[in-house]
Amino acid sequence: MSLYSLLQRRFIKFIKKVMHWKFVCSCLLLGILSHGCAFTSHTLTKNPQTIISSQKILFIKPVPSTILNKPLKSNSDDLVWYDNPSTVQRRPLIAGNWKLNPKTLTEATTLLKLLSSHFLNHYASNSPDTPEVAIFPPYPFLTTAIHILDGTGIKVGAQNIGLQTEGAYTGEVSASMIRSLGCDYVMLGHSERRCLFGESDKTINQKVQLALDEPGLDVILCVGETEEEYENNLLSSVVSLQIKKGLMGVPVEELHRIVIAYEPVWAIGTGKVATPDQAQLAHVSVRESLSEVYGSDDSKKVRIQYGGSVKPDSIERLMTMPDVDGALVGGASLTADSFTRIVDGAAVSPFNYQPPKEFTARECVATKNVLGESPIWSVRDQTLYWISAPEEEVWSWNLNDAPYRRLFGTTIGCVVLKQGEHGSVVIGGERALLATNMSPQTNDFAVGASILCERPEQAEATRPNDGRVDRQGRFVFGMYNNYHRAGVSVGENNAGIYRLNSNLEVEQILDYKYRVSNCICFPKEGNIMYFCDTPTRKVYAFDYNDTGPLTNRRLVYTMPADLPGGPDGAQVDADGLLWIALSGAGRVVRVNPNTGAVDMVVHLPVRSPTSVTFGGKDLDELFITTRGPDGGGLYRLKMPFGIVGLPEPEFIVNQNSNTNFILQQQRDLASMYQRDGN
Ligand code: PEP
């Protein structure tokens, strides 16, 4: 055995002894305190956000440590300290550590473009309720990252810096270099640097000093214990030493530039995420170490991230802990979707949570649609219409006879009602908006659908997608980037929202572009429009003005981080509540658009509901379209509690004005279609 490891063992033995006595004393103290608690009027609660009465309160541990694959011993089995969270509000920071990934600039660019599309128009705010976001790509991708993420609000940081400022140090990178590129952060003391590259606390401290010499460059200092240290109750002492040595000489005035990432080594890249209470205990210990150096008030302002196998399904519970101020994410930051979901899960959420009422819908038509969509109920026809997009078909069902379908020879994004005789509808075809008739009496298929107008964005790889008629009788539809996941336009926001008016003129009504239109629907007053760009998983309300663009965007719902998929079609009920199909998550939720609260969940036995509407003679049934591979049928649920929908409006064509223009346009399009052989 080497002298070094002998000394190391002796040191660990010594620490264990000290910890033993510390533990005995703590137990005595905790005993006294908990005894004291029994006689006070503090409410013991699982929800730390409701703790407002004292600086520090002792709680019964709320959740057993069950998440770990191999449960680790907790430092104290039944008790968790919560710091009073009401004193300081800390904005969460979600950081993505890309490590030595991805392999090429091309792959990095794809990931950055997807992130940019997710975040543009959705996160750039500085509100304390939305998390700050930073990514840490390898050095060669920093400039590209800063360039592509410009305007998204995502900050960029470096994973390391060298110990020198300039000169003959081949292969090194200095703090001033990364700052001059536009980096806002540098990450120091990551366990991989400590273990694989032998970085000591002293080296890390020198780097911290060098970073702080660069105005505008903040530091994420990583600390954390190994599994062996954890098992031996050494968490507090290990972390305390790392913090005190790492921050040696950092004055209190600079403390606001430091973020601590508590990353237990046993959790990094292992899939063993710490339980929320394990993380909370450790973070309290980190804060105590800071407090010993900087005092209690200043230490309370420091953000402490948790890192180690954080995934979309673990972030929300971690974030309920009062001392968990965000996350440092490794593996899950390499996919734009999972990283974005983790950011969503870290957003401040309302804590007056009531469990929703749950129901299950039954299949009523086993259509096996590849992509069923856009259900609408016609009060005039007492019939439900819906489409299957790639199969180019519109379906019709009067709830009594067998359903039937018609083929249109074009990919279809949506179907809406059209004022006129029984069966009049408009369909959003890939190349044009088409008027047609779905009545069972119509059998002259040689005539086919008539072209109302060309679709917008002729030069883009988009097609019409979700759409509905507004309460004034105009057809509002959004577009879909055909390649939003891959290919030439990967990640590009190139789709818009348009309104077709009664003169068959199309106007663009959203002042930004996005990827996949969904959720378009209107309450009965017609003064609000809901919309979601599905990859962002956020549903917005806009003021819907009689003329001009959509204004006053506000967030009404973010899909919970632990659910897969994205919001798809939506409908408003007679009470103004929003029913959203969560495709991929096998459910439809009812959301109060004023509070974001979900009070009803309709489960489906298939993964991907695509849209919803109300129908039936009393408008008291919910119809849900679904898609393959496991779905594809039409589902139905009789509504409880007197819930009813609104009659679906019909698209109105102005017969008197502009007739010549319309006819000319139709002739032009018809000849164009003939020319192209369509
Ligand atoms: C990390 O490397 O900082 C990290 C937390 O990795 P992972 O999330 O993959 O465990």
Side-chain angles (χ1 to χ4, degrees):
M1 188 186 301
S2 72
L3 185 63
Y4 174 73
S5 46
L6 189 74
L7 286 174
Q8 202 180 27
R9 282 189 172 202
R10 289 243 163 109
F11 176 70
I12 291 177
K13 264 194 175 164
F14 169 73
I15 295 286
K16 273 189 192 170
K17 258 193 185 163
V18 172
M19 288 307 297
H20 172 76
W21 283 110
K22 201 176 160 195
F23 182 65
V24 170
C25 295
S26 308
C27 289
L28 281 172
L29 185 67
L30 294 181
I32 293 163
L33 279 172
S34 52
H35 185 72
C37 279
F39 295 97
T40 66
S41 58
H42 294 318
T43 322
L44 293 181
T45 170
K46 283 185 179 183
N47 181 353
Q49 302 297 323
T50 59
I51 308 163
I52 46 167
S53 54
S54 75
Q55 281 301 304
K56 198 169 255 188
I57 306 170
L58 186 64
F59 282 91
I60 305 299
K61 189 162 107 182
V63 205
S65 316
T66 50
I67 296 180
L68 287 167
N69 299 343
K70 169 178 174 246
L72 288 158
K73 258 196 280 161
S74 173
N75 278 357
S76 85
D77 277 343
D78 297 307
L79 306 160
V80 180
W81 287 96
Y82 290 132
D83 236 353
N84 182 351
S86 62
T87 47
V88 183
Q89 199 191 354
R90 297 176 292 265
R91 186 176 180 203
L93 170 61
I94 300 295
N97 176 14
W98 287 16
K99 309 188 187 192
L100 192 61
N101 298 298
K103 278 188 181 149
T104 64
L105 179 61
T106 311
E107 288 169 73
T109 305
T110 301
L111 176 54
L112 289 163
K113 276 181 153 188
L114 284 168
L115 277 176
S116 162
S117 292
H118 275 300
F119 280 72
L120 197 65
N121 299 310
H122 295 274
Y123 285 99
S125 97
N126 270 332
S127 147
D129 294 348
T130 58
E132 185 183 341
V133 183
I135 57 155
F136 292 76
Y139 290 135
F141 306 149
L142 287 175
T143 309
T144 313
I146 288 163
H147 175 67
I148 293 178
L149 298 178
D150 187 28
T152 61
I154 304 180
K155 295 181 176 168
V156 177
Q159 296 173 19
N160 189 22
I161 47 170
L163 282 170
Q164 295 78 22
T165 51
E166 62 178 330
Y169 300 100
T170 305
E172 287 298 85
V173 171
S174 73
S176 67
M177 288 174 186
I178 59 154
R179 180 62 193 137
S180 69
L181 293 180
C183 287
D184 292 302
Y185 280 106
V186 60
M187 189 193 324
L188 297 171
H190 192 279
S191 68
E192 284 151 20
R193 298 234 43 100
R194 291 176 192 263
C195 301
L196 305 175
F197 299 94
E199 286 195 11
S200 65
D201 286 316
K202 190 169 166 220
T203 311
I204 293 159
N205 177 249
Q206 282 171 292
K207 293 184 178 185
V208 170
Q209 305 275 5
L210 286 166
L212 295 180
D213 284 346
E214 292 301 319
L217 188 62
D218 292 352
V219 172
I220 295 185
L221 173 64
C222 305
V223 298
E225 80 291 352
T226 62
E227 183 158 4
E228 195 191 356
E229 289 162 341
Y230 185 92
E231 296 284 4
N232 287 300
N233 276 334
L234 292 175
L235 185 160
S236 303
S237 41
V238 168
V239 162
S240 173
L241 273 181
Q242 289 172 337
I243 288 176
K244 287 174 185 166
K245 288 186 168 184
L247 295 182
M248 186 97 71
V250 173
V252 70
E253 303 77 58
E254 296 285 21
L255 195 59
H256 67 277
R257 294 176 61 192
I258 306 285
V259 174
I260 304 290
Y262 165 69
E263 300 204 294
V265 179
W266 47 264
I268 296 178
T270 59
K272 292 187 204 170
V273 64
T275 59
D277 49 316
Q278 279 174 320
Q280 170 63 16
L281 266 175
H283 286 213
V284 167
S285 167
V286 167
R287 210 175 290 291
E288 271 168 4
S289 303
L290 289 167
S291 173
E292 282 163 27
V293 182
Y294 296 102
S296 159
D297 287 353
D298 288 295
S299 75
K300 278 190 177 150
K301 295 178 195 150
V302 177
R303 292 181 290 179
I304 306 171
Q305 299 175 292
Y306 167 78
S309 297
V310 174
K311 299 278 178 310
D313 56 8
S314 48
I315 184 69
E316 284 184 338
R317 291 185 66 216
L318 285 163
M319 290 301 295
T320 59
M321 294 291 121
D323 285 280
V324 176
D325 306 319
L328 180 53
V329 185
S333 71
L334 294 171
T335 316
D337 281 357
S338 57
F339 187 60
T340 312
R341 280 166 62 185
I342 289 172
V343 174
D344 288 342
V348 173
S349 50
F351 277 89
N352 52 351
Y353 175 78
Q354 299 285 334
K357 298 191 169 58
E358 313 210 26
F359 304 89
T360 301
R362 293 235 191 101
E363 191 174 44
C364 54
V365 183
T367 37
K368 297 281 169 263
N369 295 149
V370 171
L371 173 49
E373 258 285 9
S374 189
I376 40 160
W377 174 259
S378 167
V379 172
R380 175 195 62 201
D381 304 344
Q382 289 294 299
T383 296
L384 187 82
Y385 299 106
W386 72 99
I387 61 152
S388 185
E391 292 150 297
E392 309 175 341
E393 46 190 41
V394 179
W395 282 80
S396 167
W397 186 37
N398 66 8
L399 311 191
N400 296 316
D401 306 322
Y404 61 89
R405 63 179 185 156
R406 297 233 156 107
L407 298 172
F408 286 91
T410 175
T411 302
I412 301 169
C414 58
V415 57
V416 295
L417 303 176
K418 180 173 170 292
Q419 197 178 51
E421 60 199 16
H422 187 107
S424 295
V425 294
V426 175
I427 58 182
E430 185 161 20
R431 297 198 50 186
L433 306 181
L434 307 166
T436 190
N437 195 295
M438 286 294 295
S439 155
Q441 274 74 49
T442 304
N443 48 23
D444 185 3
F445 296 115
V447 176
S450 66
I451 297 157
L452 286 178
C453 75
E454 216 172 307
R455 74 152 165 98
E457 299 174 5
Q458 290 284 318
E460 291 289 348
T462 57
R463 64 161 173 84
N465 198 45
D466 201 28
R468 278 190 195 281
V469 173
D470 69 14
R471 301 279 156 204
Q472 292 86 349
R474 297 165 301 180
F475 178 20
V476 176
F477 59 98
M479 305 293 282
Y480 176 96
N481 175 343
N482 288 325
Y483 303 103
H484 74 97
R485 287 182 203 281
V488 279
S489 61
V490 62
E492 254 172 50
N493 290 319
N494 60 356
I497 295 184
Y498 300 88
R499 179 164 57 201
L500 177 71
N501 70 19
S502 61
N503 290 332
L504 301 186
E505 289 153 355
V506 175
E507 93 185 279
Q508 192 171 344
I509 58 168
L510 184 63
D511 60 4
Y512 66 89
K513 294 281 183 106
Y514 57 86
R515 284 169 286 169
V516 179
S517 74
N518 267 311
C519 286
I520 293 176
C521 56
F522 303 87
K524 69 168 168 276
E525 298 76 15
N527 56 348
I528 291 172
M529 187 184 115
Y530 296 103
F531 168 69
C532 170
D533 176 15
T534 291
T536 69
R537 299 163 48 99
K538 294 183 166 45
V539 181
Y540 287 98
F542 292 85
D543 286 352
Y544 185 73
N545 307 305
D546 210 24
T547 56
L550 299 165
T551 53
N552 187 24
R553 188 180 78 159
R554 59 255 179 214
L555 182 64
V556 296
Y557 177 71
T558 301
M559 203 167 147
D562 60 351
L563 291 182
D568 204 329
Q571 182 60 291
V572 183
D573 67 22
D575 294 324
L577 300 167
L578 191 57
W579 295 75
I580 309 171
L582 301 183
S583 184
R587 67 191 68 188
V588 170
V589 290
R590 182 170 89 161
V591 177
N592 181 332
N594 300 316
T595 61
V598 171
D599 67 350
M600 281 193 199
V601 176
V602 179
H603 295 277
L604 289 99
V606 295
R607 274 208 312 273
S608 297
T610 52
S611 191
V612 286
T613 205
F614 292 90
K617 97 177 145 29
D618 298 320
L619 292 175
D620 62 351
E621 294 187 72
L622 193 69
F623 290 96
I624 306 165
T625 46
T626 65
R627 62 180 297 170
D630 60 335
L634 180 73
Y635 285 75
R636 182 182 195 177
L637 177 70
K638 178 90 172 163
M639 286 282 90
F641 315 127
I643 296 168
V644 290
L646 295 163
E648 189 80 27
E650 295 169 346
F651 175 62
I652 303 167
V653 181
N654 185 346
Q655 304 292 357
N656 304 320
S657 72
N658 238 353
T659 317
N660 288 338
F661 162 79
I662 295 164
L663 287 174
Q664 186 54 46
Q665 192 173 21
Q666 288 179 355
R667 272 196 293 272
D668 290 350
L669 280 165
S671 64
M672 186 184 84
Y673 269 54
Q674 262 165 9
R675 204 177 50 236
D676 288 359
N678 285 299

